[in-house]
Amino acid sequence: KPLAEPKREEKKAGAAGKRAPPKRKTESDEIPMFKVVLLGDEEYEEVHVCTQLEKIAQVDGAAAKRIFAEATGSGSSVICVVAEEVAEFYCQQFRRAEIYVIMEEDV
């Protein structure tokens, strides 16, 4: 037995019949992102800083050396851009390791 076609409702003309499509929210719309910035310091030991960058922020060895060199050369270097809670956590962990970092909102 063939199935009957579904009944179609007639659309009424006018503003009441039109709807704007819903706006899709993405994760980046809802969560503000923050940069974790390593501040340069002449007293840093490269091995210690690079080891902590790899351990805390999960950057690879080459990136850790680049970040360290940039921070000591120019005064600061962006380690990563993450959600606010993660940035706060990274800042706490770096401070425990006696490494100076700040977090600033990514615009």
Side-chain angles (χ1 to χ4, degrees), residues 8-30:
R8 297 183 184 194
E9 294 182 24
E10 292 181 29
K11 293 185 178 180
K12 296 180 181 179
K18 294 184 180 180
R19 285 179 127 179
K23 182 181 175 189
R24 291 187 175 197
K25 290 186 176 183
T26 62
E27 192 171 297
S28 62
D29 288 340
E30 297 174 15

Side-chain angles (χ1 to χ4, degrees), residues 2-53:
L3 295 174
E5 282 191 40
K7 294 180 181 178
R8 297 183 184 194
E9 294 182 24
E10 292 181 29
K11 293 185 178 180
K12 296 180 181 179
K18 294 184 180 180
R19 285 179 127 179
K23 182 181 175 189
R24 291 187 175 197
K25 290 186 176 183
T26 62
E27 192 171 297
S28 62
D29 288 340
E30 297 174 15
I31 301 174
M33 302 300 279
F34 284 78
K35 294 186 268 189
V36 179
V37 181
L38 173 66
L39 301 177
D41 189 349
E42 294 175 1
E43 296 180 12
Y44 284 154
E45 292 180 20
E46 182 176 3
V47 174
H48 173 67
V49 174
C50 290
T51 302
Q52 295 305 316
L53 285 168

Side-chain angles (χ1 to χ4, degrees), residues 31-37 81-82 84 103-107:
I31 301 174
M33 302 300 279
F34 284 78
K35 294 186 268 189
V36 179
V37 181
V81 179
V82 292
E84 184 176 11
M103 60 182 263
E104 53 188 44
E105 193 163 4
D106 187 36
V107 287

Side-chain angles (χ1 to χ4, degrees), residues 35-91:
K35 294 186 268 189
V36 179
V37 181
L38 173 66
L39 301 177
D41 189 349
E42 294 175 1
E43 296 180 12
Y44 284 154
E45 292 180 20
E46 182 176 3
V47 174
H48 173 67
V49 174
C50 290
T51 302
Q52 295 305 316
L53 285 168
E54 292 172 25
K55 193 168 149 184
I56 297 169
Q58 294 88 38
V59 297
D60 63 14
K65 288 181 181 180
R66 180 192 55 78
I67 292 167
F68 176 80
E70 186 178 330
T72 54
S74 67
S76 67
S77 180
V78 175
I79 299 170
C80 58
V81 179
V82 292
E84 184 176 11
E85 293 81 14
V86 178
E88 289 172 350
F89 173 74
Y90 284 168
C91 288

